[in-house]
């Protein structure tokens, strides 16, 4: 196992991207913000928003002091805007319960709004150098191939998968933290879902998937997410109108950005229910 560790860590030292949340000067809050933003969103889209966010709200207390609607506005077009509300709620909880400092313990992080198993493990690992199994999509794919000999992991994390990831995690805490980000980077840059660059992989000759002849994935179908005409697109259009307005917006302005009345009404109601939109008057709406 040491050879696997040595090769991946050496590759990471030579090939890691310079990202603001990975720098030696990055605060735990910067790491936490990045983890919320990077969920189902590519790095290229996150970078400018992360920079603007940290300039405006360099600490959890700075964010918590503003209305949740400002977090939604600043979230822009990253998608899945409920993440902005959850990050705002988490910031408020950090101020109230942890003195404004992002906690280092997994259990404390899990207690925050919007923080699940992966996010808690990632923040503890990448912000505080702790030793945890961190299983994002990239890590799962790399380990499925190198250790399991299959092209893609199961649709959801299994006990066996978690056990295999724990078994390969280095014992030394700082090394384990670096290993976690190194495997993640390997999956993002080399061991990609489509067209992996096996010839550039530092562990090509140790990979069980390569040894098996690169068998194709034969598990349950993986559904591609549609966009055009979906409720997600409609909700995004409605939110964009509110983000670009300083005050309440009359319903007619929302009507103008989505033609299908039934879908528009349903999506607006769901935005209100999710807390992303507030009813400001009989026919007006605003960010919360």
């Amino acid at each position: 196992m040491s050879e696997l560790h040595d090769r991946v860590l050496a590759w990471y030292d030579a090939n890691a991207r310079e990202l603001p949340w990975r720098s030696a000067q990055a605060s735990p809050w910067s790491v936490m913000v990045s983890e919320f933003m990077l969920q189902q969103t590519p790095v290229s889209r996150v970078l400018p928003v992360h920079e603007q966010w940290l300039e405006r709200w360099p600490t959890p207390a700075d964010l918590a002091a503003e209305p949740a609607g400002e977090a939604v506005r600043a979230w822009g077009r990253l998608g899945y805007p409920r993440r902005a509300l959850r990050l705002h709620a988490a910031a408020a909880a950090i101020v109230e319960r942890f003195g404004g400092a992002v906690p280092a313990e997994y259990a404390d992080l899990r207690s925050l709004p919007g923080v699940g198993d992966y996010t808690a493990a990632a923040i503890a690992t990448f912000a505080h150098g702790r030793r945890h199994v961190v299983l994002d999509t990239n890590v799962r794919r790399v380990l499925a191939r190198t250790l399991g000999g299959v092209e893609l992991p199961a649709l959801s994390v299994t006990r066996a998968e978690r056990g295999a990831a724990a078994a390969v995690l280095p014992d030394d805490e700082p090394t384990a933290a670096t290993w976690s980000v190194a495997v993640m980077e390997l999956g993002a840059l080399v061991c990609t879902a489509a067209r992996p660059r096996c010839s550039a992989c530092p562990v090509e000759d140790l990979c069980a998937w390569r040894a098996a002849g690169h068998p194709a994935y034969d598990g349950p179908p993986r559904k591609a997410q549609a966009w055009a005409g979906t409720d997600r697109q409609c909700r995004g259009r409605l939110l964009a109108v509110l983000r670009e307005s300083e005050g309440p917006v009359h319903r007619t302005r929302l009507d103008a950005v989505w033609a299908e009345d039934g879908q528009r009404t349903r999506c607006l109601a769901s935005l209100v229910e999710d807390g992303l939109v507030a009813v400001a008057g009989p026919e007006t709406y605003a960010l919360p």
Side-chain angles (χ1 to χ4, degrees):
M1 201 64 70
S2 62
E3 185 172 7
L4 180 70
H5 292 156
D6 292 344
R7 290 202 202 173
V8 171
L9 293 171
W11 173 88
Y12 180 72
D13 284 343
N15 296 278
R17 290 169 292 179
E18 292 185 5
L19 300 174
W21 47 86
R22 289 184 187 164
S23 75
Q25 293 75 37
S27 66
W29 174 240
S30 173
V31 174
M32 182 171 180
V33 170
S34 76
E35 287 300 330
F36 270 74
M37 290 183 173
L38 287 165
Q39 295 166 19
Q40 299 178 286
T41 308
V43 167
S44 59
R45 292 181 59 201
V46 167
L47 280 168
V49 183
H50 179 273
E51 180 181 7
Q52 294 161 11
W53 194 284
L54 268 293
E55 286 178 358
R56 181 172 179 179
W57 299 307
T59 69
D62 294 316
L63 176 60
E66 294 212 39
E70 288 305 301
V72 176
R73 191 189 308 280
W75 198 256
R77 297 185 180 276
L78 284 181
Y80 303 98
R82 275 179 288 187
R83 292 180 292 169
L85 288 182
R86 291 166 183 158
L87 185 51
H88 183 275
I94 289 170
V95 171
E96 180 181 348
R97 292 163 33 209
F98 299 103
V102 175
E105 297 302 323
Y106 173 88
D108 291 337
L109 289 162
R110 278 293 270 123
S111 74
L112 298 174
V115 176
D117 169 72
Y118 163 76
T119 305
I123 296 170
T125 298
F126 303 142
H128 298 289
R130 299 301 175 87
R131 183 181 183 274
H132 291 282
V133 171
V134 181
L135 289 174
D136 84 330
T137 302
N138 289 315
V139 173
R140 295 184 66 213
R141 185 171 58 253
V142 171
L143 297 183
R145 291 173 178 173
T146 56
L147 304 180
V150 295
E151 182 182 19
L152 298 172
L155 295 179
S156 57
V157 178
T158 65
R159 181 178 296 180
E161 181 183 4
R162 187 174 292 279
V168 77
L169 192 65
D171 293 329
D172 175 67
E173 196 167 58
T175 306
T178 305
W179 162 262
S180 293
V181 71
V183 176
M184 189 177 293
E185 191 77 335
L186 186 63
L189 301 182
V190 175
C191 194
T192 53
R195 297 183 294 279
R197 299 188 299 115
C198 294
S199 62
C201 180
V203 294
E204 181 186 15
D205 60 320
L206 303 178
C207 178
W209 186 50
R210 174 185 178 275
H214 300 102
Y217 173 73
D218 63 355
R222 293 170 180 261
K223 297 180 181 179
Q225 289 190 332
W227 173 249
T230 62
D231 283 3
R232 276 191 61 213
Q233 186 184 30
C234 178
R235 283 164 56 102
R237 292 268 184 89
L238 299 176
L239 263 184
V241 174
L242 296 172
R243 281 200 311 269
E244 294 161 7
S245 302
E246 290 299 325
V249 168
H250 194 272
R251 182 164 191 144
T252 52
R253 288 184 57 192
L254 301 175
D255 294 346
V257 298
W258 197 266
E260 209 285 299
D261 184 67
Q263 186 180 26
R264 185 182 64 249
T265 300
R266 180 179 69 250
C267 289
L268 181 57
S270 72
L271 288 168
V272 172
E273 184 177 354
D274 288 344
L276 289 163
V277 172
V279 178
E283 292 292 327
T284 57
Y285 299 86
L287 293 178

